[in-house]
Amino acid sequence: MAPSASPAASPPRRRHSRRDDDSPRRRKRRASPSPPRSPSPGADADRRRRSRASPPDPDRRRGGGGDGKPSEEKENGHAKPGRDEEGDDRPPRRARVSDDEKEDGRRRRRARDSDEERDDRRGKRDRERDSRRHRRRSPSTESGSSPDDRRRRRHRRDEGSRRRDDRRRRDDDRGERRRSPENREPTPPLPPPPPLLPEMIPGRTGGIYIPPFRMAQMLREVEDKSSPEYQRLTWDALKKSINGLVNKVNATNIKNIVPELFAENLVRGRGLFCQSCIKSQMASPGFTDVFAALVAVVNTKFPEIGRLLLVRVVLQLKRAYKRNDKPQLLAATKFIAHLVNQVVAHELVALELLTVLLENPTDDSVEVAVGFVKECGAMLQDLSPQGLHAIFERFRGILHEGEIDKRVQFLIEGLFAIRKAKFQGFPAIRPELDLVEQEDQFTHEISLEDDLDAEINLNVFKANPNFVEDEKAYESLKRSILGAESSEDEEGSDAASDDEDKEESDEEEDEEQMEIRDRTETNLVNLRRTIYLTIMSSVDFEEAGHKLMKIKLEPGQEMELCIMLLECCSQERTYLRYYGLLGQRFCMINKVYQENFEKCFVQQYSMIHRLETNKLRNVAKFFAHLLGTDALPWHVLAYIRLTEEDTTSSSRIFIKILFQACCKDAGFLCRSYLSFHCIVILMYLFL
């Protein structure tokens, strides 16, 4: 077919193969020709692996194009180079190729082309790396290379080809698995989880979370109550219960938490209780007094628990002091201070701790000591005043030495001010946390220098051969502790069930006779506020009197108006005639106000020594105006006894100002029931 091709036809087109001249490898070879080299066994192995790895192309066996189309050379009248040029004149058969096979062939070619390009890039990188490595090893090489160098380069090429073959094989396997999902092996289903048994709970603390209903079910299913599995389940339940009760305790609900806590086996879980209290106090130092009150209540029934907790806190304090751990040291000292306030720890523990902290004073140690004295200083003032005085003398010496920071010096000065105020604002025990009488409390006295045992083994589960007997013993102990409360509750419930009918009948009568009384005096405060605002906002006494008369006063509240009028007058810088005229108006309107002002005069004269000079002058002039205008009867002066024993300097000044103001009134002598000589005699006796 090639000789019969017409000269006018276009030159034969050549198929693009994966070994085309435009590939990066061909271009590099044309750009930089290299001397011929003998084929290496590694390259032959590479070609054999590639031929085995790539599947045969059905279109190529049929003689068609790589894309599955009929031969374009035959259609265009050109011969295909290859076997046909050597003498095979058989016309190629037209292959009938389906669309799926065409698409499959294109997909394979694209995958092969991408693999080839990726291999070319990897090979190029490997060669460049080898060349750089070779240049580093031999910076000045001559044009000729030794046999050792050629052998080394050939070994590197073989290693690189082997790595590329391995990568290509993995990529081909991955591509085959991706292209043929039906060939994947089905993933076997996961086996069901094994049933949760007590002996399967790992770890010291029970590393598997068990819901409460599941825990109760497991406890019911266990038949042998003395088995280690059942003891482990009860231990975990006890630990969760104690931690929950300690974590939710506060000053409001501590009275409800204590019975629930005694309902748990605290003898068995004493280590858990101490550990939970210490951890909770470290996490929330603000609730230290609450935890100390809880420990104080438990200490009354179980003194060994109180001693164990005190020992652990002291050991924690010593450990923090050696490690210079200031936050942990502050928390431990605060806990000890409140244990001293609750009389669980002896006051000698506090004094010894302060002595250790102030022996070699530093900024941190002095700051910790100041905080400790603030917490328990009020209790030490009552229990050991001489010891506290010695501690403050040591503080004074540290302050005079001046070797500590200014900030710490200010803290010491503030501590002296708090001591002078008798620790006001730093009470030893809050009223809602004062739950134990000092006679019922057990006080533990330990030293910081003693060898103490924290008994850490109590925090870990350990099987008890006498578990059932110990549980029964604690049940009887619990009934003895909580028995009185439970019996009272039962009796109360019986009495309530018997008297239900009587109570229902009495409730209706009580509702009719019930009278609500306000003990907070809110209405009285509001009345005083209204009177004060009315007096201060009026322009003159007539307007003030008119507005005050409109206020609806209950019987007995007239006295409040007189008191407020007198208080407003005494608060002024100088006496204002406005208040005297207003008081006169009320005395003239109703005799009740006149009687109330008489009571106010007697009350003010008895407490005249409490008033300042300015207030004393205003009150005296106010009553002088009432006496001068006959708004107040003169028999109120009968309460005054002009003797040295019955008068004070303040009362004498009050009488002097009172009569001087009366004399200044213009119409005093005409309207008075006493003569001028009597007034002179009274003033003579007074002076």
Side-chain angles (χ1 to χ4, degrees):
M1 295 175 63
S4 63
S6 61
S10 59
R13 290 186 299 175
R14 186 167 168 266
R15 285 180 66 253
H16 176 74
S17 65
R18 57 195 182 100
R19 297 289 185 180
D20 198 1
D21 292 339
D22 294 336
S23 62
R25 189 179 297 176
R26 299 280 182 168
R27 287 198 300 270
K28 186 174 181 182
R29 288 178 181 176
R30 286 200 302 268
S32 59
S34 58
R37 56 182 180 179
S38 59
S40 62
D44 297 339
D46 187 11
R47 284 194 295 271
R48 285 196 298 271
R49 292 192 196 97
R50 190 178 304 168
S51 62
R52 285 196 301 267
S54 60
D57 194 353
D59 298 336
R60 189 174 298 171
R61 286 200 302 266
R62 294 192 191 102
D67 54 354
K69 296 182 180 181
S71 175
E72 297 179 357
E73 289 83 356
K74 183 176 179 181
E75 294 178 1
N76 298 331
H78 298 286
K80 178 180 179 182
R83 288 187 307 168
D84 297 338
E85 294 180 358
E86 294 176 1
D88 191 0
D89 296 336
R90 289 180 300 174
R93 291 178 297 178
R94 185 181 299 274
R96 296 182 180 179
V97 184
S98 63
D99 296 338
D100 296 338
E101 293 178 353
K102 293 178 183 179
E103 187 65 27
D104 192 14
R106 294 193 191 97
R107 197 181 303 114
R108 289 197 191 94
R109 282 198 302 275
R110 283 196 296 270
R112 282 197 300 271
D113 294 341
S114 61
D115 293 341
E116 285 295 329
E117 292 176 359
R118 187 165 55 252
D119 294 340
D120 292 339
R121 288 194 297 271
R122 290 174 181 170
K124 185 177 179 180
R125 286 198 299 269
D126 294 339
R127 285 193 296 274
E128 291 177 356
R129 186 171 59 253
D130 295 340
S131 62
R132 286 195 299 269
R133 191 181 304 163
H134 179 66
R135 284 196 297 271
R136 284 197 300 270
R137 291 178 180 176
S138 56
S140 60
T141 56
E142 298 179 358
S143 59
S145 60
S146 62
D148 295 337
D149 295 339
R150 287 195 297 271
R151 192 181 307 110
R152 205 175 293 115
R153 286 196 296 271
R154 188 163 52 250
H155 178 68
R156 285 197 295 270
R157 285 196 299 270
D158 295 342
E159 288 293 332
S161 62
R162 277 196 293 272
R163 293 195 198 97
R164 287 194 298 273
D165 293 340
D166 295 338
R167 284 196 297 269
R168 189 182 299 110
R169 192 179 303 108
R170 287 195 298 270
D171 294 340
D172 293 342
D173 295 342
R174 193 180 299 112
E176 286 294 331
R177 286 196 300 270
R178 190 183 299 113
R179 286 191 294 269
S180 58
E182 64 276 1
N183 295 334
R184 296 180 183 176
E185 296 181 359
T187 304
L190 295 176
L196 188 61
L197 299 176
E199 58 271 10
M200 295 177 60
I201 302 176
R204 179 174 75 175
T205 58
I208 299 177
Y209 170 73
I210 304 176
F213 74 94
R214 179 60 174 154
M215 177 69 74
Q217 180 182 0
M218 293 169 64
L219 290 175
R220 288 193 301 268
E221 291 176 355
V222 176
E223 297 179 357
D224 188 6
K225 301 300 182 181
S226 61
S227 62
E229 292 80 9
Y230 181 78
Q231 295 183 29
R232 180 56 182 269
L233 290 176
T234 55
W235 173 268
D236 293 337
L238 177 64
K239 181 177 182 180
K240 292 178 182 179
S241 179
I242 291 177
N243 288 337
L245 292 173
V246 171
N247 288 333
K248 70 180 181 180
V249 67
N250 53 44
T252 306
N253 63 359
I254 186 171
K255 294 182 180 179
N256 301 325
I257 294 295
V258 168
E260 297 181 14
L261 193 61
F262 281 127
E264 304 295 336
N265 192 345
L266 289 180
V267 176
R268 184 188 182 196
R270 56 187 183 275
L272 299 177
F273 174 74
C274 298
Q275 182 184 21
S276 181
C277 287
I278 293 175
K279 286 186 176 180
S280 300
Q281 189 269 338
M282 281 289 296
S284 303
F287 290 87
T288 305
D289 53 350
V290 180
F291 296 123
L294 182 64
V295 173
V297 176
V298 175
N299 186 62
T300 58
K301 304 299 181 182
F302 303 102
E304 65 275 4
I305 297 180
R307 179 177 177 79
L308 177 62
L309 186 135
L310 180 61
V311 167
R312 290 190 177 185
V313 174
V314 169
L315 289 175
Q316 180 183 359
L317 184 143
K318 294 169 66 175
R319 185 164 53 249
Y321 185 76
K322 291 179 181 178
R323 297 177 179 176
N324 292 329
D325 190 353
K326 185 178 178 181
Q328 190 174 2
L329 183 62
L330 286 172
T333 53
K334 192 171 185 179
F335 207 170
I336 293 178
H338 284 283
L339 290 177
V340 172
N341 291 337
Q342 292 287 347
V343 203
V344 176
H346 200 271
E347 62 269 14
L348 292 179
V349 179
L351 297 176
E352 184 180 4
L353 176 59
L354 289 172
T355 305
V356 172
L357 291 174
L358 300 178
E359 183 179 3
N360 298 316
T362 61
D363 293 343
D364 292 337
S365 65
V366 174
E367 184 178 356
V368 172
V370 169
F372 183 80
V373 174
K374 285 181 181 179
E375 297 294 338
C376 64
M379 182 60 69
L380 292 177
Q381 185 71 32
D382 297 336
L383 299 178
S384 179
Q386 295 181 356
L388 186 63
H389 178 71
I391 295 299
F392 271 95
E393 289 299 322
R394 178 57 181 157
F395 274 121
R396 195 186 305 276
I398 294 172
L399 191 61
H400 290 328
E401 291 173 1
E403 297 180 358
I404 57 177
D405 191 28
K406 290 289 184 182
R407 182 182 64 87
V408 185
Q409 293 181 12
F410 288 142
L411 291 177
I412 297 177
E413 293 176 358
L415 181 62
F416 275 98
I418 293 173
R419 182 198 182 189
K420 186 176 181 180
K422 297 182 179 180
F423 295 94
Q424 186 176 2
F426 297 91
I429 304 175
R430 287 191 288 171
E432 59 269 20
L433 297 177
D434 191 5
L435 305 176
V436 181
E437 297 293 337
Q438 292 190 3
E439 297 79 12
D440 301 335
Q441 188 61 269
F442 290 91
T443 304
H444 305 284
E445 182 180 354
I446 61 176
S447 176
L448 300 180
E449 298 179 357
D450 295 342
D451 294 333
L452 305 174
D453 184 14
E455 301 183 28
I456 304 299
N457 56 340
L458 297 177
N459 300 344
V460 186
F461 167 74
K462 185 178 181 181
N464 184 9
N466 301 325
F467 175 75
V468 179
E469 292 78 5
D470 293 344
E471 288 292 322
K472 291 181 180 179
Y474 187 79
E475 285 294 329
S476 62
L477 181 61
K478 181 176 68 174
R479 283 193 296 270
S480 65
I481 295 174
L482 304 176
E485 298 180 1
S486 60
S487 61
E488 290 177 1
D489 295 339
E490 292 177 358
E491 293 176 359
S493 62
D494 295 338
S497 61
D498 294 338
D499 299 339
E500 284 181 356
D501 298 335
K502 295 181 181 180
E503 289 179 357
E504 289 178 359
S505 61
D506 295 340
E507 282 179 359
E508 298 178 358
E509 298 177 359
D510 294 339
E511 289 178 358
E512 296 177 357
Q513 300 177 358
M514 184 182 299
E515 181 182 357
I516 299 176
R517 295 181 180 179
D518 186 9
R519 298 289 185 179
T520 61
E521 297 182 352
T522 305
N523 297 333
L524 184 60
V525 173
N526 294 333
L527 175 63
R528 291 178 178 176
R529 183 185 298 110
T530 304
I531 295 173
Y532 173 78
L533 294 176
T534 303
I535 293 173
M536 302 304 293
S537 62
S538 298
V539 178
D540 55 358
F541 74 96
E542 294 181 352
E543 180 184 355
H546 182 70
K547 291 181 179 179
L548 290 174
M549 290 302 296
K550 287 185 177 181
I551 298 176
K552 295 181 180 180
L553 299 177
E554 297 180 1
Q557 290 185 346
E558 293 84 358
M559 187 67 177
E560 298 297 331
L561 191 147
C562 299
I563 293 174
M564 288 302 300
L565 184 60
L566 193 59
E567 287 291 332
C568 293
C569 179
S570 63
Q571 294 295 331
E572 297 291 342
R573 293 185 179 179
T574 58
Y575 171 71
L576 297 179
R577 196 163 177 265
Y578 166 82
Y579 297 101
L581 295 172
L582 187 59
Q584 177 187 354
R585 174 63 60 90
F586 278 100
C587 290
M588 296 299 182
I589 291 175
N590 195 343
K591 192 176 181 180
V592 176
Y593 292 103
Q594 189 179 28
E595 295 176 356
N596 290 328
F597 276 116
E598 291 180 15
K599 295 178 182 178
C600 289
F601 179 84
V602 175
Q603 185 179 5
Q604 288 292 330
Y605 184 76
S606 63
M607 298 186 303
I608 201 67
H609 58 279
R610 299 182 183 179
L611 299 180
E612 299 175 359
T613 305
N614 187 35
K615 292 183 179 181
L616 187 147
R617 182 181 295 106
N618 292 343
V619 171
K621 290 183 177 181
F622 176 80
F623 284 110
H625 179 87
L626 295 182
L627 290 172
T629 57
D630 290 337
L632 199 64
W634 282 88
H635 62 77
V636 296
L637 297 178
Y639 185 76
I640 300 176
R641 294 177 60 87
L642 292 176
T643 60
E644 186 177 358
E645 293 81 7
D646 296 333
T647 58
T648 61
S649 60
S650 299
S651 63
R652 288 191 289 269
I653 293 172
F654 174 78
I655 297 173
K656 174 184 175 181
I657 297 173
L658 176 68
F659 282 101
Q660 285 178 351
C662 289
C663 292
K664 287 181 181 179
D665 196 345
F668 171 73
L669 294 178
C670 299
R671 296 192 303 268
S672 64
Y673 295 100
L674 298 176
S675 63
F676 176 75
H677 300 285
C678 294
I679 299 299
V680 172
I681 292 173
L682 290 174
M683 295 183 65
Y684 177 77
L685 292 174
F686 172 71
L687 297 174

